[in-house]
Every structure is written in C-alpha cells, then in structure tokens.
Amino acid sequence: NAGVTQTPKFQVLKTGQSMTLQCAQDMNHEYMSWYRQDPGMGLRLIHYSVGAGITDQGEVPNGYNVSRSTTEDFPLRLLSAAPSQTSVYFCASSRKTGWNYEQYFGPGTRLTVT
Amino acid sequence: RKEVEQDPGPFNVPEGATVAFNCTYSNSASQSFFWYRQDCRKEPKLLMSVYSSGNEDGRFTAQLNRASQYISLLIRDSKLSDSATYLCVVGNSGNTPLVFGKGTRLSVIA
C-alpha cells in the first residue's frame, strides 16, 4: 500500500516555465488537496477536490491549476513559474468522505524557481 | 484574527519534562479537532484527534474547551524523539477543508 505518492521530490524551474506536480493515492479516497508550506506561513491550501470531476479553490489558488479526472490522481499545474512559488508542496487525501477525518500527506515536492 | 492560532515557539525543554501547547480557534461552529506532528523536512502526520471529553494516548493528553475555543496538548516525560512541530487542526461544518495552524516547534534537549 503506497498511500499518497508525489513526484518529483525536487525540482528547479526557471521563471516562466510550466510544469506539473503529480499526486496519486491508492486508498480510494474521495477528498484530495494541495498545500504549500513556506517558513513562518504554515500550510496554505491551494486547491482541493471532493471527488472525481470536482475541484475548488483554496486560500492561494493564483498561478495554479488542477484537474481530477480519476479518483486516484490530482495533478497540480504551475502555468508560468515565478520565484514566489518557491516552496514545499504537499498533496493530501482523506480516508473517508468528508473533511473531519485524518488527512494523509504525501512526502512533498521541494520546488525552487530561479 | 487568524482562524487557528498557535504560539510558534520554539519550546526548548529537557528530557523528562512536561510541556503543554495551546491553540485557539475563531469559528464557534467548528466540529472536529486534531493535533498533527511534522518532523523536520517531512510531511505532517496525525498525532491524535481531540474529543470533547478529553483523551489520552500514552504520554499525550489532548483537551478541548469549547466555551473558550481552545485546544491543548500535554506531553509528559518528554523524549528526544518528541522534537517536532505540532500543528493544531480544526474542521468546520459542511464541505470545507480542514484549517491548519502554523505550528508550535518543540525541541527536547538531552
């Protein structure tokens, strides 16, 4: 049981480049979300999904797109990378329907934008 | 006012000490409460849920005070391995995501 997996673990981008951070879970979770974590800022919600085909914006959605075509996958796309997007990105999923249950996090992607 | 507030610390305590963290939340309709633990350069993981009557898991005790809207975590007999950041997390009603506090950093010193 792999849980929540994220690729890549590390990435360096130049300003203006685009890329997709991958997230997959094998627990048949309906709820999935993307967070970024910066020093002193805590976890901030970027986008989330309550099921396949349904996504919504979180606290800091600008500059990011998501889609949820399957239950398992929830990729995060950076449209045109900026230095302000340098951060650690975590994907998470919930083991039951609804938010009031344990969130399982992936190991994170460390992104640097130069 | 932030929805979930925590003292960022760091709390530096010797091994064997008892340490307590508090967290306040602003939404009186919040329904679920958790403590997560995050080790350095790792992902957050659930430490324990917090129930209205209070609950204990080994050396860890969590309490909820709905009237004052705060949650606490007590760690007894601190171990070096308890060094981590502890995140207070609150769940609200409806289809809304969990709200994470910024975390309190604990360093247990030999």
Side-chain angles (χ1 to χ4, degrees):
Chain A
N1 189 343
V4 180
T5 57
Q6 291 183 236
T7 55
K9 289 188 177 174
F10 302 93
Q11 183 69 50
V12 179
L13 290 178
K14 293 188 187 322
T15 297
Q17 287 184 316
S18 63
M19 79 158 295
T20 299
L21 307 186
Q22 301 291 345
C23 174
Q25 51 89 12
D26 61 0
M27 297 173 282
N28 201 31
H29 289 177
E30 289 197 17
Y31 281 56
M32 296 186 73
S33 50
W34 276 102
Y35 296 87
R36 60 178 289 175
Q37 189 172 40
D38 304 292
M41 299 296 293
L43 285 163
R44 291 186 291 171
L45 183 65
I46 304 171
H47 285 285
Y48 64 98
S49 170
V50 301
I54 306 168
T55 63
D56 208 342
Q57 296 182 349
E59 180 186 356
V60 288
N62 291 340
Y64 308 95
N65 273 356
V66 292
S67 60
R68 184 96 182 270
S69 56
T70 67
T71 299
E72 294 79 20
D73 301 299
F74 191 42
L76 177 72
R77 279 181 286 279
L78 278 69
L79 309 172
S80 177
S84 61
Q85 293 179 305
T86 293
S87 188
V88 180
Y89 291 84
F90 289 104
C91 178
S93 70
S94 176
R95 66 183 173 94
K96 289 185 183 179
T97 300
W99 291 108
N100 296 328
Y101 298 98
E102 178 177 2
Q103 294 277 299
Y104 289 81
F105 285 82
T109 294
R110 296 182 181 278
L111 175 69
T112 301
V113 182
T114 61
Chain B
R1 180 183 173 187
K2 294 285 185 186
E3 194 164 349
V4 177
E5 292 199 67
Q6 297 182 249
D7 182 338
F11 284 63
N12 299 314
V13 303
E15 273 186 294
T18 294
V19 61
F21 307 135
N22 288 330
C23 161
T24 58
Y25 61 95
S26 61
N27 186 349
S28 60
S30 295
Q31 294 184 338
S32 56
F33 310 90
F34 309 90
W35 284 101
Y36 277 68
R37 170 192 169 129
Q38 186 173 21
D39 293 313
C40 188
R41 300 180 72 82
K42 297 287 190 181
E43 71 272 22
K45 292 184 179 177
L46 179 67
L47 177 66
M48 59 196 301
S49 301
V50 185
Y51 303 121
S52 296
S53 55
N55 48 298
E56 192 173 296
D57 183 2
R59 298 181 293 109
F60 298 83
T61 301
Q63 294 198 314
L64 168 64
N65 184 320
R66 283 190 184 270
S68 300
Q69 294 180 212
Y70 81 77
I71 308 148
S72 65
L73 177 68
L74 183 78
I75 306 175
R76 292 181 299 276
D77 189 22
S78 299
K79 312 290 184 193
L80 293 175
S81 57
D82 294 333
S83 296
T85 296
Y86 291 84
L87 307 174
C88 175
V89 184
V90 173
N92 297 317
S93 59
N95 223 16
T96 56
L98 295 176
V99 181
F100 285 78
K102 292 183 180 181
T104 297
R105 192 151 61 90
L106 171 67
S107 291
V108 181
I109 305 159

